[in-house]
Amino acid sequence: MRAATDILEISPIIPVVVLDDAAHAVPLTQALQRGGIHTIEVTLRTPAALEAIERITGEVEGVTVGAGTITQPGQAKEAARAGAEYLVTPGSTDRLLDEVAETGLPALPGVSTVSEALRLAERGMRALKFFPAEPAGGVPYLKALSSPLPDLTFCPTGGITPDNAGRYLALPNVRCVGGSWLAPKEALGKGDWGHVEALARQAVSLG
Ligand code: 3PG
């Protein structure tokens, strides 16, 4: 099993996807892969999410599948059962952290303050999601954390775009960013996998 810090090294961008139709999961993942992205975070925001994770893990080789937006009791375990290889939470309550730890999977827990980051460091967690990145202070905020918290690495997510991703990726404490722009609803609806592939290719070039 990978360490959480290794998850940040897979691709400079983690596509954060919302799938209404599990049938989109495999062609979407394959399009991202053709564009050079080898991970995908399927958010548990839709009834189709767990089936999507199952389909990707069952049918696509060479892509590491995460489950995101883990906020409710039982979701970490359900995601692990569906085949998720890492877990992402937007925030970090003790209950969520305990449930995530019980799965044994690597995790990117969400933080937006120094105290939250320190609490996670006390638990031995070194790879964190910084969320929501832009509203919570963006590049200057993360830059300010690098000196007092040099052992922590962040995946900023929330408001990241092709225009600002490069500025985050240039920070010493950022290894990758997360963003939903790689899987636009219209492209999914139309099955425009060529567009997804092009977005992935462009995103990879930012890192
Ligand atoms: C997430 O859960 O990480 C966010 O919804 C992604 O944010 P974005 O839509 O601003 O990229």
Side-chain angles (χ1 to χ4, degrees), residues 64-136:
T64 305
V65 187
T69 318
I70 294 188
T71 57
Q72 302 298 320
Q75 282 184 322
K77 201 175 280 176
E78 283 172 352
R81 215 177 289 128
E85 294 162 278
Y86 65 93
L87 304 174
V88 187
T89 67
S92 302
T93 68
D94 286 333
R95 191 203 66 208
L96 267 184
L97 293 172
D98 289 344
E99 290 198 6
V100 163
E102 277 167 29
T103 67
L105 290 174
L108 304 176
V111 298
S112 60
T113 68
V114 175
S115 297
E116 288 170 328
L118 283 175
R119 282 184 58 240
L120 290 166
E122 285 172 6
R123 281 187 173 235
M125 304 182 95
R126 298 273 178 271
L128 312 178
K129 165 169 165 147
F130 178 55
F131 180 79
E134 281 287 292

Short mmCIF file of all heavy atoms in Angstrom, two decimals, residues 64-136:
data_model
loop_
_atom_site.label_atom_id
_atom_site.label_comp_id
_atom_site.label_asym_id
_atom_site.label_seq_id
_atom_site.Cartn_x
_atom_site.Cartn_y
_atom_site.Cartn_z
N THR A 64 -4.65 5.16 -9.98
CA THR A 64 -4.93 5.04 -8.55
C THR A 64 -6.21 5.81 -8.24
O THR A 64 -6.31 7.01 -8.50
CB THR A 64 -3.75 5.62 -7.73
OG1 THR A 64 -2.55 4.95 -8.15
CG2 THR A 64 -3.96 5.40 -6.25
N VAL A 65 -7.19 5.09 -7.69
CA VAL A 65 -8.52 5.68 -7.48
C VAL A 65 -8.71 6.08 -6.03
O VAL A 65 -8.53 5.26 -5.12
CB VAL A 65 -9.62 4.65 -7.83
CG1 VAL A 65 -10.99 5.33 -7.78
CG2 VAL A 65 -9.37 4.04 -9.17
N GLY A 66 -9.08 7.32 -5.81
CA GLY A 66 -9.40 7.79 -4.47
C GLY A 66 -10.88 8.05 -4.33
O GLY A 66 -11.58 8.22 -5.32
N ALA A 67 -11.33 8.08 -3.08
CA ALA A 67 -12.71 8.49 -2.79
C ALA A 67 -12.65 9.79 -2.02
O ALA A 67 -11.91 9.90 -1.03
CB ALA A 67 -13.41 7.41 -1.97
N GLY A 68 -13.41 10.78 -2.49
CA GLY A 68 -13.37 12.10 -1.85
C GLY A 68 -14.69 12.49 -1.24
O GLY A 68 -15.68 11.77 -1.33
N THR A 69 -14.68 13.67 -0.61
CA THR A 69 -15.86 14.21 0.08
C THR A 69 -16.39 13.21 1.10
O THR A 69 -17.60 12.96 1.18
CB THR A 69 -16.96 14.64 -0.92
OG1 THR A 69 -16.37 15.32 -2.04
CG2 THR A 69 -17.93 15.61 -0.27
N ILE A 70 -15.49 12.61 1.84
CA ILE A 70 -15.90 11.70 2.91
C ILE A 70 -16.26 12.55 4.12
O ILE A 70 -15.39 13.22 4.69
CB ILE A 70 -14.78 10.68 3.19
CG1 ILE A 70 -14.66 9.81 1.95
CG2 ILE A 70 -15.08 9.86 4.45
CD1 ILE A 70 -13.78 8.65 2.04
N THR A 71 -17.54 12.58 4.44
CA THR A 71 -18.01 13.45 5.53
C THR A 71 -18.93 12.72 6.50
O THR A 71 -19.16 13.21 7.60
CB THR A 71 -18.80 14.65 4.97
OG1 THR A 71 -19.90 14.15 4.19
CG2 THR A 71 -17.95 15.56 4.11
N GLN A 72 -19.47 11.58 6.09
CA GLN A 72 -20.53 10.92 6.89
C GLN A 72 -20.03 9.63 7.51
O GLN A 72 -19.14 8.97 6.93
CB GLN A 72 -21.72 10.57 5.97
CG GLN A 72 -22.34 11.74 5.25
CD GLN A 72 -22.93 12.76 6.22
OE1 GLN A 72 -23.53 12.39 7.23
NE2 GLN A 72 -22.71 14.03 5.93
N PRO A 73 -20.64 9.22 8.64
CA PRO A 73 -20.25 7.96 9.26
C PRO A 73 -20.42 6.82 8.26
O PRO A 73 -21.41 6.77 7.52
CB PRO A 73 -21.24 7.78 10.41
CG PRO A 73 -21.88 9.09 10.61
CD PRO A 73 -21.72 9.91 9.37
N GLY A 74 -19.46 5.94 8.23
CA GLY A 74 -19.58 4.75 7.38
C GLY A 74 -19.04 4.92 5.98
O GLY A 74 -18.75 3.94 5.29
N GLN A 75 -18.87 6.16 5.53
CA GLN A 75 -18.45 6.36 4.13
C GLN A 75 -17.02 5.87 3.86
O GLN A 75 -16.74 5.35 2.77
CB GLN A 75 -18.55 7.84 3.72
CG GLN A 75 -19.96 8.28 3.41
CD GLN A 75 -19.99 9.71 2.94
OE1 GLN A 75 -19.25 10.56 3.43
NE2 GLN A 75 -20.86 9.99 1.98
N ALA A 76 -16.14 6.03 4.83
CA ALA A 76 -14.75 5.60 4.61
C ALA A 76 -14.73 4.09 4.36
O ALA A 76 -14.07 3.61 3.43
CB ALA A 76 -13.89 5.97 5.82
N LYS A 77 -15.48 3.37 5.19
CA LYS A 77 -15.51 1.91 5.05
C LYS A 77 -16.15 1.51 3.72
O LYS A 77 -15.67 0.61 3.02
CB LYS A 77 -16.31 1.32 6.21
CG LYS A 77 -16.01 -0.13 6.49
CD LYS A 77 -16.72 -0.64 7.73
CE LYS A 77 -15.97 -0.23 8.98
NZ LYS A 77 -16.68 -0.61 10.21
N GLU A 78 -17.24 2.19 3.35
CA GLU A 78 -17.92 1.86 2.07
C GLU A 78 -16.97 2.10 0.89
O GLU A 78 -16.93 1.31 -0.05
CB GLU A 78 -19.15 2.76 1.88
CG GLU A 78 -20.34 2.34 2.71
CD GLU A 78 -21.45 3.39 2.63
OE1 GLU A 78 -21.25 4.49 2.05
OE2 GLU A 78 -22.52 3.10 3.16
N ALA A 79 -16.23 3.20 0.96
CA ALA A 79 -15.31 3.52 -0.13
C ALA A 79 -14.21 2.46 -0.21
O ALA A 79 -13.84 2.02 -1.31
CB ALA A 79 -14.70 4.90 0.08
N ALA A 80 -13.71 2.04 0.95
CA ALA A 80 -12.66 1.01 0.96
C ALA A 80 -13.21 -0.28 0.37
O ALA A 80 -12.54 -0.95 -0.43
CB ALA A 80 -12.17 0.79 2.38
N ARG A 81 -14.44 -0.61 0.73
CA ARG A 81 -15.06 -1.84 0.22
C ARG A 81 -15.23 -1.76 -1.31
O ARG A 81 -15.11 -2.77 -2.01
CB ARG A 81 -16.41 -2.06 0.90
CG ARG A 81 -16.72 -3.52 1.14
CD ARG A 81 -18.04 -3.73 1.87
NE ARG A 81 -18.00 -3.33 3.25
CZ ARG A 81 -18.88 -2.50 3.84
NH1 ARG A 81 -19.87 -1.97 3.15
NH2 ARG A 81 -18.78 -2.20 5.11
N ALA A 82 -15.51 -0.58 -1.82
CA ALA A 82 -15.70 -0.42 -3.27
C ALA A 82 -14.37 -0.48 -4.03
O ALA A 82 -14.38 -0.57 -5.25
CB ALA A 82 -16.41 0.91 -3.55
N GLY A 83 -13.26 -0.39 -3.28
CA GLY A 83 -11.96 -0.51 -3.95
C GLY A 83 -11.13 0.77 -3.95
O GLY A 83 -10.07 0.81 -4.59
N ALA A 84 -11.59 1.79 -3.24
CA ALA A 84 -10.81 3.04 -3.21
C ALA A 84 -9.42 2.75 -2.63
O ALA A 84 -9.28 1.96 -1.70
CB ALA A 84 -11.52 4.09 -2.37
N GLU A 85 -8.42 3.42 -3.20
CA GLU A 85 -7.04 3.19 -2.76
C GLU A 85 -6.53 4.32 -1.87
O GLU A 85 -5.47 4.21 -1.28
CB GLU A 85 -6.14 3.03 -3.98
CG GLU A 85 -6.47 1.76 -4.78
CD GLU A 85 -5.92 1.80 -6.18
OE1 GLU A 85 -6.56 2.41 -7.06
OE2 GLU A 85 -4.83 1.24 -6.38
N TYR A 86 -7.26 5.42 -1.82
CA TYR A 86 -6.97 6.46 -0.84
C TYR A 86 -8.25 7.23 -0.57
O TYR A 86 -9.22 7.14 -1.35
CB TYR A 86 -5.82 7.37 -1.29
CG TYR A 86 -6.05 8.21 -2.51
CD1 TYR A 86 -6.53 9.52 -2.43
CD2 TYR A 86 -5.78 7.71 -3.79
CE1 TYR A 86 -6.72 10.30 -3.57
CE2 TYR A 86 -5.97 8.48 -4.92
CZ TYR A 86 -6.43 9.78 -4.80
OH TYR A 86 -6.62 10.54 -5.93
N LEU A 87 -8.25 7.95 0.54
CA LEU A 87 -9.45 8.65 0.98
C LEU A 87 -9.15 10.13 1.17
O LEU A 87 -8.05 10.48 1.63
CB LEU A 87 -9.95 8.05 2.31
CG LEU A 87 -10.22 6.54 2.30
CD1 LEU A 87 -10.56 6.05 3.71
CD2 LEU A 87 -11.35 6.20 1.33
N VAL A 88 -10.11 10.97 0.82
CA VAL A 88 -9.93 12.42 0.95
C VAL A 88 -11.12 12.99 1.71
O VAL A 88 -12.28 12.68 1.38
CB VAL A 88 -9.83 13.10 -0.44
CG1 VAL A 88 -9.48 14.57 -0.28
CG2 VAL A 88 -8.80 12.40 -1.32
N THR A 89 -10.83 13.80 2.72
CA THR A 89 -11.92 14.43 3.48
C THR A 89 -11.77 15.95 3.36
O THR A 89 -10.64 16.45 3.36
CB THR A 89 -11.84 14.05 4.97
OG1 THR A 89 -10.66 14.63 5.54
CG2 THR A 89 -11.79 12.54 5.18
N PRO A 90 -12.88 16.69 3.27
CA PRO A 90 -12.76 18.14 3.17
C PRO A 90 -12.34 18.80 4.48
O PRO A 90 -11.76 19.88 4.49
CB PRO A 90 -14.16 18.60 2.75
CG PRO A 90 -15.08 17.48 3.11
CD PRO A 90 -14.27 16.22 3.12
N GLY A 91 -12.65 18.14 5.61
CA GLY A 91 -12.26 18.65 6.93
C GLY A 91 -11.84 17.48 7.79
O GLY A 91 -11.80 16.34 7.32
N SER A 92 -11.51 17.75 9.05
CA SER A 92 -10.88 16.70 9.86
C SER A 92 -11.48 16.64 11.26
O SER A 92 -10.91 17.18 12.20
CB SER A 92 -9.39 16.99 9.98
OG SER A 92 -8.80 17.05 8.72
N THR A 93 -12.62 15.97 11.40
CA THR A 93 -13.12 15.74 12.76
C THR A 93 -12.47 14.47 13.31
O THR A 93 -11.98 13.63 12.54
CB THR A 93 -14.65 15.55 12.77
OG1 THR A 93 -14.95 14.32 12.10
CG2 THR A 93 -15.36 16.70 12.09
N ASP A 94 -12.49 14.33 14.63
CA ASP A 94 -11.87 13.12 15.22
C ASP A 94 -12.57 11.86 14.72
O ASP A 94 -11.92 10.87 14.41
CB ASP A 94 -11.95 13.19 16.75
CG ASP A 94 -10.96 14.19 17.31
OD1 ASP A 94 -9.93 14.43 16.65
OD2 ASP A 94 -11.23 14.75 18.38
N ARG A 95 -13.91 11.93 14.63
CA ARG A 95 -14.63 10.72 14.19
C ARG A 95 -14.23 10.32 12.77
O ARG A 95 -13.94 9.17 12.49
CB ARG A 95 -16.15 10.98 14.25
CG ARG A 95 -16.96 9.70 14.08
CD ARG A 95 -18.37 9.99 13.59
NE ARG A 95 -18.32 10.53 12.24
CZ ARG A 95 -19.22 11.34 11.74
NH1 ARG A 95 -20.23 11.74 12.46
NH2 ARG A 95 -19.11 11.78 10.49
N LEU A 96 -14.17 11.34 11.88
CA LEU A 96 -13.77 11.04 10.50
C LEU A 96 -12.37 10.46 10.45
O LEU A 96 -12.11 9.48 9.76
CB LEU A 96 -13.77 12.33 9.66
CG LEU A 96 -15.00 12.71 8.88
CD1 LEU A 96 -14.71 13.97 8.07
CD2 LEU A 96 -15.43 11.57 7.97
N LEU A 97 -11.47 11.08 11.20
CA LEU A 97 -10.08 10.61 11.18
C LEU A 97 -9.97 9.19 11.71
O LEU A 97 -9.23 8.37 11.16
CB LEU A 97 -9.19 11.55 12.00
CG LEU A 97 -9.03 12.96 11.43
CD1 LEU A 97 -8.31 13.86 12.43
CD2 LEU A 97 -8.27 12.94 10.11
N ASP A 98 -10.74 8.88 12.75
CA ASP A 98 -10.71 7.52 13.31
C ASP A 98 -11.25 6.52 12.28
O ASP A 98 -10.68 5.44 12.09
CB ASP A 98 -11.55 7.43 14.59
CG ASP A 98 -10.90 8.16 15.75
OD1 ASP A 98 -9.69 8.45 15.65
OD2 ASP A 98 -11.59 8.44 16.74
N GLU A 99 -12.35 6.89 11.62
CA GLU A 99 -12.94 5.96 10.65
C GLU A 99 -12.00 5.75 9.45
O GLU A 99 -11.88 4.64 8.94
CB GLU A 99 -14.30 6.49 10.16
CG GLU A 99 -15.34 6.42 11.26
CD GLU A 99 -16.76 6.52 10.72
OE1 GLU A 99 -16.95 6.53 9.48
OE2 GLU A 99 -17.66 6.58 11.54
N VAL A 100 -11.37 6.82 9.03
CA VAL A 100 -10.41 6.70 7.92
C VAL A 100 -9.25 5.82 8.35
O VAL A 100 -8.83 4.91 7.62
CB VAL A 100 -9.93 8.12 7.50
CG1 VAL A 100 -8.68 8.04 6.66
CG2 VAL A 100 -11.05 8.84 6.74
N ALA A 101 -8.75 6.02 9.57
CA ALA A 101 -7.60 5.22 10.05
C ALA A 101 -7.97 3.75 10.12
O ALA A 101 -7.14 2.88 9.81
CB ALA A 101 -7.15 5.74 11.41
N GLU A 102 -9.22 3.45 10.50
CA GLU A 102 -9.64 2.04 10.59
C GLU A 102 -9.56 1.31 9.25
O GLU A 102 -9.38 0.10 9.22
CB GLU A 102 -11.07 1.95 11.12
CG GLU A 102 -11.15 2.02 12.64
CD GLU A 102 -12.58 2.24 13.12
OE1 GLU A 102 -13.53 1.81 12.42
OE2 GLU A 102 -12.72 2.87 14.18
N THR A 103 -9.70 2.03 8.15
CA THR A 103 -9.62 1.36 6.84
C THR A 103 -8.18 0.97 6.51
O THR A 103 -7.96 0.11 5.65
CB THR A 103 -10.12 2.27 5.69
OG1 THR A 103 -9.21 3.36 5.53
CG2 THR A 103 -11.52 2.77 5.93
N GLY A 104 -7.20 1.64 7.13
CA GLY A 104 -5.80 1.37 6.82
C GLY A 104 -5.35 2.02 5.51
O GLY A 104 -4.20 1.86 5.10
N LEU A 105 -6.25 2.75 4.85
CA LEU A 105 -5.88 3.36 3.56
C LEU A 105 -5.15 4.68 3.78
O LEU A 105 -5.40 5.38 4.77
CB LEU A 105 -7.14 3.63 2.72
CG LEU A 105 -7.87 2.41 2.18
CD1 LEU A 105 -9.18 2.83 1.51
CD2 LEU A 105 -6.99 1.67 1.18
N PRO A 106 -4.26 5.05 2.84
CA PRO A 106 -3.67 6.38 2.93
C PRO A 106 -4.75 7.44 2.76
O PRO A 106 -5.74 7.22 2.05
CB PRO A 106 -2.67 6.42 1.77
CG PRO A 106 -3.07 5.32 0.85
CD PRO A 106 -3.81 4.30 1.66
N ALA A 107 -4.55 8.58 3.41
CA ALA A 107 -5.60 9.60 3.38
C ALA A 107 -5.02 11.00 3.26
O ALA A 107 -3.90 11.26 3.71
CB ALA A 107 -6.42 9.51 4.67
N LEU A 108 -5.80 11.84 2.62
CA LEU A 108 -5.49 13.27 2.56
C LEU A 108 -6.59 13.99 3.31
O LEU A 108 -7.64 14.30 2.75
CB LEU A 108 -5.45 13.75 1.10
CG LEU A 108 -4.49 13.02 0.16
CD1 LEU A 108 -4.64 13.55 -1.27
CD2 LEU A 108 -3.05 13.19 0.64
N PRO A 109 -6.40 14.24 4.61
CA PRO A 109 -7.43 14.92 5.38
C PRO A 109 -7.39 16.43 5.12
O PRO A 109 -6.32 17.01 4.93
CB PRO A 109 -7.06 14.60 6.82
CG PRO A 109 -5.60 14.31 6.79
CD PRO A 109 -5.25 13.81 5.41
N GLY A 110 -8.57 17.03 5.13
CA GLY A 110 -8.66 18.45 4.80
C GLY A 110 -8.39 19.35 5.99
O GLY A 110 -8.82 19.07 7.12
N VAL A 111 -7.65 20.43 5.74
CA VAL A 111 -7.39 21.45 6.77
C VAL A 111 -7.47 22.82 6.11
O VAL A 111 -7.26 22.96 4.90
CB VAL A 111 -5.98 21.32 7.39
CG1 VAL A 111 -5.81 20.00 8.09
CG2 VAL A 111 -4.88 21.52 6.35
N SER A 112 -7.76 23.84 6.93
CA SER A 112 -7.63 25.20 6.42
C SER A 112 -7.01 26.13 7.46
O SER A 112 -6.93 27.32 7.24
CB SER A 112 -8.97 25.75 5.95
OG SER A 112 -9.89 25.76 7.02
N THR A 113 -6.58 25.57 8.60
CA THR A 113 -5.93 26.41 9.61
C THR A 113 -4.65 25.74 10.12
O THR A 113 -4.47 24.53 9.97
CB THR A 113 -6.85 26.64 10.84
OG1 THR A 113 -6.99 25.39 11.54
CG2 THR A 113 -8.20 27.19 10.45
N VAL A 114 -3.82 26.55 10.76
CA VAL A 114 -2.55 26.05 11.30
C VAL A 114 -2.82 25.03 12.41
O VAL A 114 -2.17 23.98 12.49
CB VAL A 114 -1.70 27.22 11.85
CG1 VAL A 114 -0.44 26.71 12.52
CG2 VAL A 114 -1.36 28.18 10.73
N SER A 115 -3.80 25.31 13.25
CA SER A 115 -4.07 24.38 14.37
C SER A 115 -4.55 23.03 13.86
O SER A 115 -4.17 21.99 14.40
CB SER A 115 -5.11 24.98 15.32
OG SER A 115 -4.61 26.16 15.88
N GLU A 116 -5.39 23.05 12.83
CA GLU A 116 -5.83 21.77 12.24
C GLU A 116 -4.64 21.00 11.69
O GLU A 116 -4.51 19.80 11.88
CB GLU A 116 -6.84 22.02 11.12
CG GLU A 116 -8.18 22.47 11.60
CD GLU A 116 -9.06 22.93 10.43
OE1 GLU A 116 -8.54 23.45 9.43
OE2 GLU A 116 -10.27 22.76 10.53
N ALA A 117 -3.77 21.73 11.00
CA ALA A 117 -2.59 21.07 10.41
C ALA A 117 -1.72 20.48 11.52
O ALA A 117 -1.22 19.35 11.41
CB ALA A 117 -1.80 22.08 9.58
N LEU A 118 -1.56 21.21 12.62
CA LEU A 118 -0.73 20.71 13.72
C LEU A 118 -1.36 19.48 14.38
O LEU A 118 -0.67 18.54 14.75
CB LEU A 118 -0.52 21.81 14.77
CG LEU A 118 0.50 22.88 14.38
CD1 LEU A 118 0.53 23.99 15.42
CD2 LEU A 118 1.88 22.26 14.23
N ARG A 119 -2.69 19.50 14.51
CA ARG A 119 -3.37 18.34 15.11
C ARG A 119 -3.14 17.10 14.26
O ARG A 119 -2.93 16.01 14.76
CB ARG A 119 -4.87 18.61 15.26
CG ARG A 119 -5.19 19.49 16.46
CD ARG A 119 -6.68 19.68 16.66
NE ARG A 119 -7.38 18.42 16.83
CZ ARG A 119 -8.35 18.00 16.02
NH1 ARG A 119 -8.74 18.74 15.01
NH2 ARG A 119 -8.94 16.86 16.25
N LEU A 120 -3.16 17.27 12.94
CA LEU A 120 -2.94 16.13 12.06
C LEU A 120 -1.48 15.69 12.11
O LEU A 120 -1.19 14.49 12.09
CB LEU A 120 -3.37 16.46 10.64
CG LEU A 120 -4.89 16.59 10.54
CD1 LEU A 120 -5.29 17.25 9.25
CD2 LEU A 120 -5.54 15.23 10.64
N ALA A 121 -0.58 16.64 12.21
CA ALA A 121 0.84 16.29 12.33
C ALA A 121 1.06 15.48 13.62
O ALA A 121 1.83 14.53 13.64
CB ALA A 121 1.69 17.55 12.33
N GLU A 122 0.32 15.84 14.69
CA GLU A 122 0.44 15.08 15.95
C GLU A 122 -0.01 13.64 15.77
O GLU A 122 0.42 12.75 16.47
CB GLU A 122 -0.40 15.75 17.05
CG GLU A 122 0.24 17.01 17.60
CD GLU A 122 -0.68 17.77 18.56
OE1 GLU A 122 -1.78 17.26 18.88
OE2 GLU A 122 -0.30 18.87 18.97
N ARG A 123 -0.93 13.42 14.83
CA ARG A 123 -1.37 12.05 14.52
C ARG A 123 -0.43 11.36 13.53
O ARG A 123 -0.73 10.29 13.04
CB ARG A 123 -2.76 12.08 13.90
CG ARG A 123 -3.91 12.25 14.89
CD ARG A 123 -5.22 12.08 14.12
NE ARG A 123 -6.36 12.06 15.02
CZ ARG A 123 -7.27 11.08 15.06
NH1 ARG A 123 -7.17 10.05 14.26
NH2 ARG A 123 -8.28 11.14 15.89
N GLY A 124 0.61 12.06 13.13
CA GLY A 124 1.57 11.46 12.19
C GLY A 124 1.19 11.65 10.74
O GLY A 124 1.77 11.02 9.85
N MET A 125 0.22 12.52 10.47
CA MET A 125 -0.20 12.73 9.08
C MET A 125 0.60 13.90 8.49
O MET A 125 0.66 14.97 9.08
CB MET A 125 -1.70 12.96 9.03
CG MET A 125 -2.46 11.81 9.67
SD MET A 125 -4.24 11.96 9.62
CE MET A 125 -4.59 11.01 8.15
N ARG A 126 1.20 13.65 7.34
CA ARG A 126 2.12 14.65 6.76
C ARG A 126 1.63 15.19 5.41
O ARG A 126 2.17 16.17 4.90
CB ARG A 126 3.49 14.00 6.51
CG ARG A 126 4.18 13.52 7.75
CD ARG A 126 4.99 14.67 8.38
NE ARG A 126 5.64 14.26 9.60
CZ ARG A 126 5.06 14.34 10.82
NH1 ARG A 126 3.84 14.80 10.94
NH2 ARG A 126 5.72 13.97 11.89
N ALA A 127 0.67 14.49 4.79
CA ALA A 127 0.14 14.91 3.49
C ALA A 127 -1.30 15.35 3.70
O ALA A 127 -2.15 14.55 4.08
CB ALA A 127 0.22 13.75 2.50
N LEU A 128 -1.58 16.62 3.47
CA LEU A 128 -2.88 17.17 3.81
C LEU A 128 -3.50 17.87 2.61
O LEU A 128 -2.81 18.40 1.75
CB LEU A 128 -2.73 18.20 4.95
CG LEU A 128 -1.90 17.75 6.16
CD1 LEU A 128 -1.80 18.89 7.18
CD2 LEU A 128 -2.49 16.52 6.81
N LYS A 129 -4.84 17.86 2.60
CA LYS A 129 -5.56 18.64 1.59
C LYS A 129 -5.77 20.04 2.18
O LYS A 129 -6.25 20.14 3.31
CB LYS A 129 -6.89 17.95 1.31
CG LYS A 129 -7.92 18.80 0.55
CD LYS A 129 -9.07 17.93 0.09
CE LYS A 129 -10.26 18.77 -0.33
NZ LYS A 129 -11.03 18.15 -1.41
N PHE A 130 -5.43 21.07 1.47
CA PHE A 130 -5.69 22.44 1.93
C PHE A 130 -6.97 22.89 1.24
O PHE A 130 -6.99 23.08 0.02
CB PHE A 130 -4.52 23.36 1.57
CG PHE A 130 -4.73 24.80 1.96
CD1 PHE A 130 -5.04 25.15 3.27
CD2 PHE A 130 -4.63 25.81 1.02
CE1 PHE A 130 -5.24 26.48 3.63
CE2 PHE A 130 -4.81 27.14 1.36
CZ PHE A 130 -5.12 27.47 2.67
N PHE A 131 -8.05 23.02 2.02
CA PHE A 131 -9.37 23.25 1.44
C PHE A 131 -10.17 24.21 2.30
O PHE A 131 -10.16 24.08 3.52
CB PHE A 131 -10.12 21.91 1.34
CG PHE A 131 -11.50 22.04 0.76
CD1 PHE A 131 -11.69 22.15 -0.60
CD2 PHE A 131 -12.61 22.09 1.60
CE1 PHE A 131 -12.96 22.30 -1.14
CE2 PHE A 131 -13.89 22.23 1.07
CZ PHE A 131 -14.06 22.33 -0.29
N PRO A 132 -10.93 25.11 1.70
CA PRO A 132 -10.96 25.46 0.28
C PRO A 132 -9.85 26.46 -0.03
O PRO A 132 -9.82 27.55 0.53
CB PRO A 132 -12.35 26.09 0.11
CG PRO A 132 -12.69 26.66 1.47
CD PRO A 132 -11.94 25.86 2.50
N ALA A 133 -8.94 26.07 -0.88
CA ALA A 133 -7.66 26.75 -1.03
C ALA A 133 -7.78 28.25 -1.30
O ALA A 133 -7.18 29.07 -0.59
CB ALA A 133 -6.84 26.07 -2.13
N GLU A 134 -8.53 28.62 -2.31
CA GLU A 134 -8.57 30.05 -2.66
C GLU A 134 -9.25 30.88 -1.57
O GLU A 134 -8.67 31.83 -1.07
CB GLU A 134 -9.23 30.25 -4.03
CG GLU A 134 -8.30 29.94 -5.20
CD GLU A 134 -7.23 31.00 -5.39
OE1 GLU A 134 -7.56 32.13 -5.78
OE2 GLU A 134 -6.05 30.70 -5.14
N PRO A 135 -10.49 30.51 -1.14
CA PRO A 135 -11.12 31.32 -0.10
C PRO A 135 -10.34 31.31 1.22
O PRO A 135 -10.40 32.27 1.99
CB PRO A 135 -12.49 30.65 0.11
CG PRO A 135 -12.72 29.85 -1.11
CD PRO A 135 -11.38 29.46 -1.65
N ALA A 136 -9.58 30.24 1.49
CA ALA A 136 -8.88 30.13 2.79
C ALA A 136 -7.54 30.86 2.81
O ALA A 136 -6.85 30.82 3.82
CB ALA A 136 -8.69 28.67 3.16
#
